Amino acid sequence: MRTLRESEITDLLTRDVVAHLATIDTAGYPHITPLWFLWLDGRFYLTSYADRPHLERMRSNPRVGLVIDVEDALRADGERPNRQVRVIGTASLAPTRQAPGPNASEPSTSAAISRRESPNGISDALES
């Protein structure tokens, strides 16, 4: 296992891949929700329809985790390296305008995740 270089972190965070958001319910159990994300100015932004359960969990407990990962192609040695960025932080929610489309009348909410303090704001950036 090795730590990713800054250029590898940037590459991963600007890819068109799904993030996995971890939230905690009122009984203390974790829930994982796959969501599209945008990494901008040191924050992760996610948007969902306003009535989604993960938003209610973030309202109750804004402490969250987020993982963005990709698995590389099979190497000659039989391994498939996995590169990942793991983040823990605090979510803040705000209503947003819905983009035009078939569900344009449904209200939406965006979540901005500010990371806990670390040198680059990332909890872990690893290749395994």
Side-chain angles (χ1 to χ4, degrees), residues 47-99:
T47 301
S48 291
Y49 294 115
D51 63 348
R52 297 300 190 245
H54 59 274
L55 295 173
E56 189 55 41
R57 290 190 295 269
M58 284 189 283
R59 284 183 190 94
S60 297
N61 182 352
R63 293 179 300 168
V64 298
L66 193 69
V67 173
I68 298 96
D69 69 318
V70 295
E71 187 174 83
D72 291 337
L74 185 66
R75 297 186 312 208
D77 65 2
E79 295 290 322
R80 294 180 65 103
N82 174 278
R83 288 179 290 130
Q84 58 188 268
V85 170
R86 296 183 295 197
V87 177
I88 53 175
T90 304
S92 57
L93 302 176
T96 57
R97 291 187 321 188
Q98 180 69 27

mmCIF file of all heavy atoms in Angstrom, residues 47-99:
data_model
loop_
_atom_site.group_PDB
_atom_site.id
_atom_site.type_symbol
_atom_site.label_atom_id
_atom_site.label_comp_id
_atom_site.label_asym_id
_atom_site.label_seq_id
_atom_site.Cartn_x
_atom_site.Cartn_y
_atom_site.Cartn_z
ATOM 1 N N THR A 47 -25.613 16.576 -5.010
ATOM 2 C CA THR A 47 -26.985 17.060 -5.123
ATOM 3 C C THR A 47 -27.935 15.879 -5.183
ATOM 4 O O THR A 47 -27.652 14.885 -5.841
ATOM 5 C CB THR A 47 -27.157 17.928 -6.387
ATOM 6 O OG1 THR A 47 -26.259 19.023 -6.313
ATOM 7 C CG2 THR A 47 -28.570 18.445 -6.514
ATOM 8 N N SER A 48 -29.053 16.003 -4.462
ATOM 9 C CA SER A 48 -30.075 14.956 -4.436
ATOM 10 C C SER A 48 -31.453 15.599 -4.387
ATOM 11 O O SER A 48 -31.585 16.762 -4.018
ATOM 12 C CB SER A 48 -29.931 14.082 -3.188
ATOM 13 O OG SER A 48 -28.783 13.306 -3.244
ATOM 14 N N TYR A 49 -32.469 14.804 -4.714
ATOM 15 C CA TYR A 49 -33.834 15.269 -4.508
ATOM 16 C C TYR A 49 -34.035 15.489 -3.017
ATOM 17 O O TYR A 49 -33.512 14.749 -2.183
ATOM 18 C CB TYR A 49 -34.851 14.268 -5.060
ATOM 19 C CG TYR A 49 -34.772 14.158 -6.562
ATOM 20 C CD1 TYR A 49 -34.378 12.975 -7.160
ATOM 21 C CD2 TYR A 49 -35.066 15.244 -7.367
ATOM 22 C CE1 TYR A 49 -34.277 12.877 -8.536
ATOM 23 C CE2 TYR A 49 -34.974 15.165 -8.740
ATOM 24 C CZ TYR A 49 -34.576 13.976 -9.326
ATOM 25 O OH TYR A 49 -34.475 13.884 -10.680
ATOM 26 N N ALA A 50 -34.791 16.501 -2.658
ATOM 27 C CA ALA A 50 -34.896 16.977 -1.280
ATOM 28 C C ALA A 50 -35.443 15.948 -0.296
ATOM 29 O O ALA A 50 -35.180 16.044 0.901
ATOM 30 C CB ALA A 50 -35.748 18.244 -1.231
ATOM 31 N N ASP A 51 -36.169 14.942 -0.770
ATOM 32 C CA ASP A 51 -36.798 13.987 0.153
ATOM 33 C C ASP A 51 -35.985 12.713 0.378
ATOM 34 O O ASP A 51 -36.459 11.770 0.997
ATOM 35 C CB ASP A 51 -38.182 13.612 -0.359
ATOM 36 C CG ASP A 51 -38.140 12.908 -1.704
ATOM 37 O OD1 ASP A 51 -37.076 12.901 -2.367
ATOM 38 O OD2 ASP A 51 -39.188 12.371 -2.120
ATOM 39 N N ARG A 52 -34.740 12.673 -0.053
ATOM 40 C CA ARG A 52 -33.942 11.453 0.066
ATOM 41 C C ARG A 52 -33.511 11.190 1.510
ATOM 42 O O ARG A 52 -33.177 12.106 2.255
ATOM 43 C CB ARG A 52 -32.715 11.503 -0.838
ATOM 44 C CG ARG A 52 -33.045 11.582 -2.320
ATOM 45 C CD ARG A 52 -33.851 10.346 -2.737
ATOM 46 N NE ARG A 52 -33.975 10.267 -4.178
ATOM 47 C CZ ARG A 52 -35.105 10.364 -4.841
ATOM 48 N NH1 ARG A 52 -36.235 10.573 -4.205
ATOM 49 N NH2 ARG A 52 -35.127 10.263 -6.142
ATOM 50 N N PRO A 53 -33.514 9.922 1.936
ATOM 51 C CA PRO A 53 -33.191 9.579 3.331
ATOM 52 C C PRO A 53 -31.794 10.015 3.777
ATOM 53 O O PRO A 53 -31.615 10.399 4.930
ATOM 54 C CB PRO A 53 -33.322 8.057 3.372
ATOM 55 C CG PRO A 53 -34.197 7.692 2.226
ATOM 56 C CD PRO A 53 -33.944 8.733 1.176
ATOM 57 N N HIS A 54 -30.811 9.965 2.887
ATOM 58 C CA HIS A 54 -29.460 10.352 3.319
ATOM 59 C C HIS A 54 -29.389 11.833 3.695
ATOM 60 O O HIS A 54 -28.611 12.212 4.556
ATOM 61 C CB HIS A 54 -28.398 9.996 2.263
ATOM 62 C CG HIS A 54 -28.603 10.626 0.934
ATOM 63 N ND1 HIS A 54 -29.409 10.073 -0.024
ATOM 64 C CD2 HIS A 54 -28.113 11.759 0.409
ATOM 65 C CE1 HIS A 54 -29.398 10.840 -1.094
ATOM 66 N NE2 HIS A 54 -28.628 11.870 -0.859
ATOM 67 N N LEU A 55 -30.241 12.660 3.100
ATOM 68 C CA LEU A 55 -30.272 14.074 3.480
ATOM 69 C C LEU A 55 -30.828 14.246 4.890
ATOM 70 O O LEU A 55 -30.315 15.044 5.677
ATOM 71 C CB LEU A 55 -31.094 14.887 2.480
ATOM 72 C CG LEU A 55 -30.514 14.949 1.058
ATOM 73 C CD1 LEU A 55 -31.497 15.631 0.130
ATOM 74 C CD2 LEU A 55 -29.169 15.635 1.059
ATOM 75 N N GLU A 56 -31.856 13.477 5.229
ATOM 76 C CA GLU A 56 -32.407 13.541 6.582
ATOM 77 C C GLU A 56 -31.375 13.070 7.607
ATOM 78 O O GLU A 56 -31.240 13.648 8.684
ATOM 79 C CB GLU A 56 -33.689 12.705 6.687
ATOM 80 C CG GLU A 56 -34.417 12.890 7.986
ATOM 81 C CD GLU A 56 -34.750 14.343 8.285
ATOM 82 O OE1 GLU A 56 -35.152 15.093 7.377
ATOM 83 O OE2 GLU A 56 -34.593 14.752 9.469
ATOM 84 N N ARG A 57 -30.627 12.025 7.248
ATOM 85 C CA ARG A 57 -29.574 11.561 8.164
ATOM 86 C C ARG A 57 -28.507 12.644 8.355
ATOM 87 O O ARG A 57 -28.003 12.829 9.463
ATOM 88 C CB ARG A 57 -28.957 10.255 7.649
ATOM 89 C CG ARG A 57 -29.915 9.072 7.757
ATOM 90 C CD ARG A 57 -29.237 7.748 7.477
ATOM 91 N NE ARG A 57 -28.751 7.619 6.118
ATOM 92 C CZ ARG A 57 -29.448 7.110 5.109
ATOM 93 N NH1 ARG A 57 -30.686 6.673 5.301
ATOM 94 N NH2 ARG A 57 -28.920 7.011 3.909
ATOM 95 N N MET A 58 -28.176 13.384 7.294
ATOM 96 C CA MET A 58 -27.183 14.467 7.426
ATOM 97 C C MET A 58 -27.730 15.636 8.238
ATOM 98 O O MET A 58 -26.978 16.311 8.928
ATOM 99 C CB MET A 58 -26.705 14.949 6.053
ATOM 100 C CG MET A 58 -25.735 13.980 5.407
ATOM 101 S SD MET A 58 -24.943 14.632 3.919
ATOM 102 C CE MET A 58 -26.256 14.469 2.729
ATOM 103 N N ARG A 59 -29.040 15.869 8.154
ATOM 104 C CA ARG A 59 -29.635 16.920 8.988
ATOM 105 C C ARG A 59 -29.526 16.544 10.468
ATOM 106 O O ARG A 59 -29.258 17.381 11.323
ATOM 107 C CB ARG A 59 -31.097 17.144 8.616
ATOM 108 C CG ARG A 59 -31.301 17.916 7.346
ATOM 109 C CD ARG A 59 -32.780 18.172 7.055
ATOM 110 N NE ARG A 59 -32.943 18.709 5.727
ATOM 111 C CZ ARG A 59 -33.210 17.974 4.646
ATOM 112 N NH1 ARG A 59 -33.378 16.665 4.742
ATOM 113 N NH2 ARG A 59 -33.315 18.540 3.463
ATOM 114 N N SER A 60 -29.733 15.266 10.758
ATOM 115 C CA SER A 60 -29.664 14.793 12.142
ATOM 116 C C SER A 60 -28.233 14.697 12.649
ATOM 117 O O SER A 60 -27.969 14.944 13.825
ATOM 118 C CB SER A 60 -30.316 13.413 12.266
ATOM 119 O OG SER A 60 -31.674 13.489 11.941
ATOM 120 N N ASN A 61 -27.320 14.312 11.787
ATOM 121 C CA ASN A 61 -25.920 14.128 12.163
ATOM 122 C C ASN A 61 -25.062 14.496 10.950
ATOM 123 O O ASN A 61 -24.917 13.686 10.036
ATOM 124 C CB ASN A 61 -25.661 12.678 12.585
ATOM 125 C CG ASN A 61 -24.236 12.444 13.023
ATOM 126 O OD1 ASN A 61 -23.367 13.307 12.889
ATOM 127 N ND2 ASN A 61 -23.974 11.260 13.533
ATOM 128 N N PRO A 62 -24.497 15.696 10.906
ATOM 129 C CA PRO A 62 -23.764 16.155 9.725
ATOM 130 C C PRO A 62 -22.377 15.534 9.555
ATOM 131 O O PRO A 62 -21.718 15.800 8.553
ATOM 132 C CB PRO A 62 -23.669 17.664 9.929
ATOM 133 C CG PRO A 62 -23.739 17.855 11.399
ATOM 134 C CD PRO A 62 -24.635 16.761 11.915
ATOM 135 N N ARG A 63 -21.941 14.701 10.501
ATOM 136 C CA ARG A 63 -20.640 14.031 10.332
ATOM 137 C C ARG A 63 -20.789 12.910 9.314
ATOM 138 O O ARG A 63 -21.646 12.030 9.464
ATOM 139 C CB ARG A 63 -20.140 13.492 11.663
ATOM 140 C CG ARG A 63 -19.803 14.617 12.643
ATOM 141 C CD ARG A 63 -19.332 14.085 13.952
ATOM 142 N NE ARG A 63 -20.389 13.254 14.532
ATOM 143 C CZ ARG A 63 -20.232 12.448 15.559
ATOM 144 N NH1 ARG A 63 -19.067 12.348 16.150
ATOM 145 N NH2 ARG A 63 -21.239 11.743 16.026
ATOM 146 N N VAL A 64 -19.965 12.952 8.263
ATOM 147 C CA VAL A 64 -20.092 12.012 7.155
ATOM 148 C C VAL A 64 -18.717 11.499 6.725
ATOM 149 O O VAL A 64 -17.688 12.055 7.099
ATOM 150 C CB VAL A 64 -20.792 12.668 5.936
ATOM 151 C CG1 VAL A 64 -22.212 13.092 6.281
ATOM 152 C CG2 VAL A 64 -19.988 13.851 5.421
ATOM 153 N N GLY A 65 -18.747 10.464 5.924
ATOM 154 C CA GLY A 65 -17.564 9.948 5.259
ATOM 155 C C GLY A 65 -17.844 9.864 3.770
ATOM 156 O O GLY A 65 -19.003 9.759 3.349
ATOM 157 N N LEU A 66 -16.796 9.956 2.975
ATOM 158 C CA LEU A 66 -16.939 9.897 1.528
ATOM 159 C C LEU A 66 -15.746 9.131 0.979
ATOM 160 O O LEU A 66 -14.606 9.354 1.411
ATOM 161 C CB LEU A 66 -16.963 11.317 0.956
ATOM 162 C CG LEU A 66 -17.406 11.497 -0.479
ATOM 163 C CD1 LEU A 66 -18.897 11.186 -0.618
ATOM 164 C CD2 LEU A 66 -17.140 12.922 -0.928
ATOM 165 N N VAL A 67 -16.002 8.206 0.054
ATOM 166 C CA VAL A 67 -14.934 7.450 -0.603
ATOM 167 C C VAL A 67 -15.124 7.563 -2.111
ATOM 168 O O VAL A 67 -16.225 7.375 -2.621
ATOM 169 C CB VAL A 67 -14.943 5.960 -0.192
ATOM 170 C CG1 VAL A 67 -13.942 5.163 -1.020
ATOM 171 C CG2 VAL A 67 -14.660 5.814 1.281
ATOM 172 N N ILE A 68 -14.030 7.901 -2.788
ATOM 173 C CA ILE A 68 -13.990 7.886 -4.242
ATOM 174 C C ILE A 68 -12.903 6.880 -4.592
ATOM 175 O O ILE A 68 -11.761 7.011 -4.126
ATOM 176 C CB ILE A 68 -13.651 9.270 -4.833
ATOM 177 C CG1 ILE A 68 -14.718 10.293 -4.452
ATOM 178 C CG2 ILE A 68 -13.519 9.191 -6.342
ATOM 179 C CD1 ILE A 68 -14.384 11.106 -3.263
ATOM 180 N N ASP A 69 -13.244 5.859 -5.383
ATOM 181 C CA ASP A 69 -12.235 4.853 -5.704
ATOM 182 C C ASP A 69 -12.406 4.333 -7.123
ATOM 183 O O ASP A 69 -13.494 4.392 -7.687
ATOM 184 C CB ASP A 69 -12.257 3.714 -4.696
ATOM 185 C CG ASP A 69 -13.495 2.853 -4.796
ATOM 186 O OD1 ASP A 69 -14.596 3.411 -4.963
ATOM 187 O OD2 ASP A 69 -13.374 1.625 -4.711
ATOM 188 N N VAL A 70 -11.298 3.859 -7.671
ATOM 189 C CA VAL A 70 -11.288 3.226 -8.979
ATOM 190 C C VAL A 70 -10.387 1.996 -8.899
ATOM 191 O O VAL A 70 -9.426 1.969 -8.135
ATOM 192 C CB VAL A 70 -10.792 4.162 -10.106
ATOM 193 C CG1 VAL A 70 -11.742 5.325 -10.318
ATOM 194 C CG2 VAL A 70 -9.385 4.652 -9.844
ATOM 195 N N GLU A 71 -10.739 0.997 -9.677
ATOM 196 C CA GLU A 71 -9.912 -0.203 -9.758
ATOM 197 C C GLU A 71 -9.263 -0.222 -11.132
ATOM 198 O O GLU A 71 -9.947 -0.100 -12.151
ATOM 199 C CB GLU A 71 -10.774 -1.450 -9.558
ATOM 200 C CG GLU A 71 -9.965 -2.713 -9.464
ATOM 201 C CD GLU A 71 -10.824 -3.899 -9.113
ATOM 202 O OE1 GLU A 71 -11.435 -4.466 -10.043
ATOM 203 O OE2 GLU A 71 -10.887 -4.246 -7.923
ATOM 204 N N ASP A 72 -7.945 -0.348 -11.158
ATOM 205 C CA ASP A 72 -7.212 -0.372 -12.421
ATOM 206 C C ASP A 72 -7.344 -1.731 -13.099
ATOM 207 O O ASP A 72 -7.806 -2.703 -12.504
ATOM 208 C CB ASP A 72 -5.739 -0.044 -12.178
ATOM 209 C CG ASP A 72 -5.540 1.409 -11.768
ATOM 210 O OD1 ASP A 72 -6.406 2.250 -12.077
ATOM 211 O OD2 ASP A 72 -4.510 1.703 -11.147
ATOM 212 N N ALA A 73 -6.880 -1.780 -14.338
ATOM 213 C CA ALA A 73 -6.935 -3.015 -15.126
ATOM 214 C C ALA A 73 -6.040 -4.089 -14.507
ATOM 215 O O ALA A 73 -5.104 -3.794 -13.755
ATOM 216 C CB ALA A 73 -6.495 -2.721 -16.557
ATOM 217 N N LEU A 74 -6.337 -5.305 -14.836
ATOM 218 C CA LEU A 74 -5.570 -6.446 -14.361
ATOM 219 C C LEU A 74 -4.129 -6.341 -14.854
ATOM 220 O O LEU A 74 -3.879 -6.139 -16.036
ATOM 221 C CB LEU A 74 -6.215 -7.737 -14.879
ATOM 222 C CG LEU A 74 -5.621 -9.051 -14.405
ATOM 223 C CD1 LEU A 74 -5.850 -9.216 -12.904
ATOM 224 C CD2 LEU A 74 -6.259 -10.204 -15.169
ATOM 225 N N ARG A 75 -3.189 -6.458 -13.906
ATOM 226 C CA ARG A 75 -1.765 -6.420 -14.247
ATOM 227 C C ARG A 75 -1.266 -7.823 -14.566
ATOM 228 O O ARG A 75 -1.958 -8.814 -14.284
ATOM 229 C CB ARG A 75 -0.948 -5.850 -13.081
ATOM 230 C CG ARG A 75 -1.276 -4.438 -12.726
ATOM 231 C CD ARG A 75 -0.353 -3.868 -11.671
ATOM 232 N NE ARG A 75 -0.173 -4.767 -10.530
ATOM 233 C CZ ARG A 75 0.110 -4.366 -9.292
ATOM 234 N NH1 ARG A 75 0.240 -3.093 -9.033
ATOM 235 N NH2 ARG A 75 0.259 -5.245 -8.312
ATOM 236 N N ALA A 76 -0.048 -7.900 -15.093
ATOM 237 C CA ALA A 76 0.560 -9.188 -15.429
ATOM 238 C C ALA A 76 0.721 -10.082 -14.212
ATOM 239 O O ALA A 76 0.686 -11.312 -14.318
ATOM 240 C CB ALA A 76 1.911 -8.960 -16.107
ATOM 241 N N ASP A 77 0.867 -9.465 -13.017
ATOM 242 C CA ASP A 77 1.032 -10.260 -11.793
ATOM 243 C C ASP A 77 -0.294 -10.735 -11.200
ATOM 244 O O ASP A 77 -0.338 -11.332 -10.127
ATOM 245 C CB ASP A 77 1.840 -9.491 -10.751
ATOM 246 C CG ASP A 77 1.139 -8.234 -10.246
ATOM 247 O OD1 ASP A 77 -0.010 -7.957 -10.664
ATOM 248 O OD2 ASP A 77 1.741 -7.517 -9.427
ATOM 249 N N GLY A 78 -1.400 -10.448 -11.888
ATOM 250 C CA GLY A 78 -2.712 -10.896 -11.433
ATOM 251 C C GLY A 78 -3.414 -9.948 -10.473
ATOM 252 O O GLY A 78 -4.528 -10.212 -10.045
ATOM 253 N N GLU A 79 -2.790 -8.835 -10.121
ATOM 254 C CA GLU A 79 -3.375 -7.855 -9.205
ATOM 255 C C GLU A 79 -4.155 -6.792 -9.979
ATOM 256 O O GLU A 79 -3.852 -6.499 -11.130
ATOM 257 C CB GLU A 79 -2.274 -7.175 -8.387
ATOM 258 C CG GLU A 79 -1.531 -8.110 -7.461
ATOM 259 C CD GLU A 79 -2.383 -8.570 -6.301
ATOM 260 O OE1 GLU A 79 -3.178 -7.764 -5.777
ATOM 261 O OE2 GLU A 79 -2.241 -9.739 -5.909
ATOM 262 N N ARG A 80 -5.167 -6.218 -9.322
ATOM 263 C CA ARG A 80 -5.942 -5.092 -9.856
ATOM 264 C C ARG A 80 -5.849 -3.967 -8.837
ATOM 265 O O ARG A 80 -6.664 -3.918 -7.906
ATOM 266 C CB ARG A 80 -7.398 -5.488 -10.060
ATOM 267 C CG ARG A 80 -7.606 -6.548 -11.122
ATOM 268 C CD ARG A 80 -9.079 -6.860 -11.241
ATOM 269 N NE ARG A 80 -9.813 -5.724 -11.728
ATOM 270 C CZ ARG A 80 -10.248 -5.587 -12.976
ATOM 271 N NH1 ARG A 80 -10.048 -6.519 -13.850
ATOM 272 N NH2 ARG A 80 -10.911 -4.508 -13.327
ATOM 273 N N PRO A 81 -4.875 -3.069 -8.974
ATOM 274 C CA PRO A 81 -4.702 -2.005 -7.976
ATOM 275 C C PRO A 81 -5.960 -1.148 -7.827
ATOM 276 O O PRO A 81 -6.640 -0.833 -8.798
ATOM 277 C CB PRO A 81 -3.550 -1.169 -8.535
ATOM 278 C CG PRO A 81 -2.850 -2.057 -9.500
ATOM 279 C CD PRO A 81 -3.893 -2.981 -10.047
ATOM 280 N N ASN A 82 -6.254 -0.814 -6.588
ATOM 281 C CA ASN A 82 -7.379 0.049 -6.250
ATOM 282 C C ASN A 82 -6.812 1.360 -5.719
ATOM 283 O O ASN A 82 -6.026 1.358 -4.789
ATOM 284 C CB ASN A 82 -8.251 -0.618 -5.180
ATOM 285 C CG ASN A 82 -9.359 0.287 -4.691
ATOM 286 O OD1 ASN A 82 -9.141 1.137 -3.843
ATOM 287 N ND2 ASN A 82 -10.530 0.108 -5.243
ATOM 288 N N ARG A 83 -7.207 2.484 -6.352
ATOM 289 C CA ARG A 83 -6.802 3.803 -5.869
ATOM 290 C C ARG A 83 -8.023 4.455 -5.241
ATOM 291 O O ARG A 83 -9.113 4.398 -5.790
ATOM 292 C CB ARG A 83 -6.242 4.649 -6.997
ATOM 293 C CG ARG A 83 -4.862 4.149 -7.426
ATOM 294 C CD ARG A 83 -4.266 4.921 -8.561
ATOM 295 N NE ARG A 83 -5.018 4.639 -9.774
ATOM 296 C CZ ARG A 83 -5.498 5.564 -10.595
ATOM 297 N NH1 ARG A 83 -5.309 6.832 -10.356
ATOM 298 N NH2 ARG A 83 -6.155 5.219 -11.668
ATOM 299 N N GLN A 84 -7.818 5.076 -4.081
ATOM 300 C CA GLN A 84 -8.958 5.632 -3.361
ATOM 301 C C GLN A 84 -8.585 6.882 -2.584
ATOM 302 O O GLN A 84 -7.461 7.032 -2.135
ATOM 303 C CB GLN A 84 -9.532 4.593 -2.409
ATOM 304 C CG GLN A 84 -8.522 4.078 -1.406
ATOM 305 C CD GLN A 84 -9.076 2.920 -0.628
ATOM 306 O OE1 GLN A 84 -9.644 3.140 0.433
ATOM 307 N NE2 GLN A 84 -8.896 1.708 -1.134
ATOM 308 N N VAL A 85 -9.574 7.744 -2.484
ATOM 309 C CA VAL A 85 -9.496 8.908 -1.611
ATOM 310 C C VAL A 85 -10.612 8.747 -0.601
ATOM 311 O O VAL A 85 -11.766 8.521 -0.969
ATOM 312 C CB VAL A 85 -9.663 10.227 -2.407
ATOM 313 C CG1 VAL A 85 -9.835 11.409 -1.486
ATOM 314 C CG2 VAL A 85 -8.490 10.432 -3.349
ATOM 315 N N ARG A 86 -10.249 8.819 0.680
ATOM 316 C CA ARG A 86 -11.234 8.702 1.755
ATOM 317 C C ARG A 86 -11.241 10.004 2.535
ATOM 318 O O ARG A 86 -10.186 10.536 2.885
ATOM 319 C CB ARG A 86 -10.887 7.531 2.673
ATOM 320 C CG ARG A 86 -10.966 6.200 1.965
ATOM 321 C CD ARG A 86 -10.697 5.058 2.873
ATOM 322 N NE ARG A 86 -9.309 5.113 3.340
ATOM 323 C CZ ARG A 86 -8.684 4.089 3.893
ATOM 324 N NH1 ARG A 86 -9.314 2.956 4.058
ATOM 325 N NH2 ARG A 86 -7.446 4.198 4.295
ATOM 326 N N VAL A 87 -12.428 10.482 2.821
ATOM 327 C CA VAL A 87 -12.598 11.776 3.481
ATOM 328 C C VAL A 87 -13.586 11.624 4.622
ATOM 329 O O VAL A 87 -14.580 10.908 4.491
ATOM 330 C CB VAL A 87 -13.142 12.822 2.477
ATOM 331 C CG1 VAL A 87 -13.386 14.147 3.144
ATOM 332 C CG2 VAL A 87 -12.203 12.973 1.299
ATOM 333 N N ILE A 88 -13.317 12.271 5.738
ATOM 334 C CA ILE A 88 -14.326 12.433 6.779
ATOM 335 C C ILE A 88 -14.488 13.918 7.007
ATOM 336 O O ILE A 88 -13.534 14.690 6.883
ATOM 337 C CB ILE A 88 -13.951 11.697 8.088
ATOM 338 C CG1 ILE A 88 -12.562 12.091 8.560
ATOM 339 C CG2 ILE A 88 -14.071 10.211 7.922
ATOM 340 C CD1 ILE A 88 -12.183 11.502 9.891
ATOM 341 N N GLY A 89 -15.717 14.337 7.279
ATOM 342 C CA GLY A 89 -15.947 15.766 7.447
ATOM 343 C C GLY A 89 -17.356 16.060 7.903
ATOM 344 O O GLY A 89 -18.076 15.188 8.392
ATOM 345 N N THR A 90 -17.730 17.321 7.718
ATOM 346 C CA THR A 90 -19.026 17.818 8.152
ATOM 347 C C THR A 90 -19.800 18.324 6.938
ATOM 348 O O THR A 90 -19.266 19.112 6.154
ATOM 349 C CB THR A 90 -18.846 18.960 9.168
ATOM 350 O OG1 THR A 90 -18.050 18.475 10.248
ATOM 351 C CG2 THR A 90 -20.183 19.446 9.690
ATOM 352 N N ALA A 91 -21.049 17.870 6.799
ATOM 353 C CA ALA A 91 -21.889 18.271 5.672
ATOM 354 C C ALA A 91 -22.739 19.474 6.043
ATOM 355 O O ALA A 91 -23.230 19.582 7.170
ATOM 356 C CB ALA A 91 -22.797 17.120 5.258
ATOM 357 N N SER A 92 -22.906 20.379 5.108
ATOM 358 C CA SER A 92 -23.875 21.463 5.256
ATOM 359 C C SER A 92 -24.831 21.363 4.072
ATOM 360 O O SER A 92 -24.413 21.078 2.947
ATOM 361 C CB SER A 92 -23.178 22.822 5.296
ATOM 362 O OG SER A 92 -22.401 23.028 4.142
ATOM 363 N N LEU A 93 -26.112 21.577 4.332
ATOM 364 C CA LEU A 93 -27.148 21.399 3.317
ATOM 365 C C LEU A 93 -27.764 22.729 2.933
ATOM 366 O O LEU A 93 -27.900 23.625 3.766
ATOM 367 C CB LEU A 93 -28.244 20.475 3.846
ATOM 368 C CG LEU A 93 -27.783 19.087 4.286
ATOM 369 C CD1 LEU A 93 -28.955 18.320 4.885
ATOM 370 C CD2 LEU A 93 -27.181 18.328 3.129
ATOM 371 N N ALA A 94 -28.150 22.837 1.650
ATOM 372 C CA ALA A 94 -28.805 24.048 1.158
ATOM 373 C C ALA A 94 -29.741 23.670 0.015
ATOM 374 O O ALA A 94 -29.417 22.791 -0.785
ATOM 375 C CB ALA A 94 -27.768 25.054 0.674
ATOM 376 N N PRO A 95 -30.905 24.337 -0.091
ATOM 377 C CA PRO A 95 -31.791 24.079 -1.235
ATOM 378 C C PRO A 95 -31.108 24.559 -2.518
ATOM 379 O O PRO A 95 -30.355 25.525 -2.503
ATOM 380 C CB PRO A 95 -33.040 24.902 -0.944
ATOM 381 C CG PRO A 95 -32.772 25.670 0.281
ATOM 382 C CD PRO A 95 -31.436 25.307 0.823
ATOM 383 N N THR A 96 -31.363 23.857 -3.622
ATOM 384 C CA THR A 96 -30.794 24.245 -4.907
ATOM 385 C C THR A 96 -31.861 24.240 -5.978
ATOM 386 O O THR A 96 -32.919 23.633 -5.809
ATOM 387 C CB THR A 96 -29.671 23.276 -5.336
ATOM 388 O OG1 THR A 96 -30.197 21.963 -5.371
ATOM 389 C CG2 THR A 96 -28.497 23.330 -4.392
ATOM 390 N N ARG A 97 -31.557 24.907 -7.074
ATOM 391 C CA ARG A 97 -32.464 24.885 -8.218
ATOM 392 C C ARG A 97 -32.268 23.591 -8.977
ATOM 393 O O ARG A 97 -31.152 23.131 -9.161
ATOM 394 C CB ARG A 97 -32.178 26.055 -9.154
ATOM 395 C CG ARG A 97 -32.546 27.385 -8.571
ATOM 396 C CD ARG A 97 -32.417 28.463 -9.572
ATOM 397 N NE ARG A 97 -31.221 28.224 -10.391
ATOM 398 C CZ ARG A 97 -30.748 29.082 -11.263
ATOM 399 N NH1 ARG A 97 -31.331 30.214 -11.457
ATOM 400 N NH2 ARG A 97 -29.664 28.804 -11.965
ATOM 401 N N GLN A 98 -33.340 23.016 -9.414
ATOM 402 C CA GLN A 98 -33.283 21.774 -10.185
ATOM 403 C C GLN A 98 -33.003 22.108 -11.638
ATOM 404 O O GLN A 98 -33.591 23.018 -12.204
ATOM 405 C CB GLN A 98 -34.625 21.038 -10.051
ATOM 406 C CG GLN A 98 -34.703 19.747 -10.804
ATOM 407 C CD GLN A 98 -33.801 18.691 -10.187
ATOM 408 O OE1 GLN A 98 -33.513 18.734 -9.005
ATOM 409 N NE2 GLN A 98 -33.348 17.776 -10.991
ATOM 410 N N ALA A 99 -32.110 21.357 -12.259
ATOM 411 C CA ALA A 99 -31.821 21.530 -13.681
ATOM 412 C C ALA A 99 -33.044 21.129 -14.503
ATOM 413 O O ALA A 99 -33.855 20.317 -14.063
ATOM 414 C CB ALA A 99 -30.632 20.672 -14.072
#
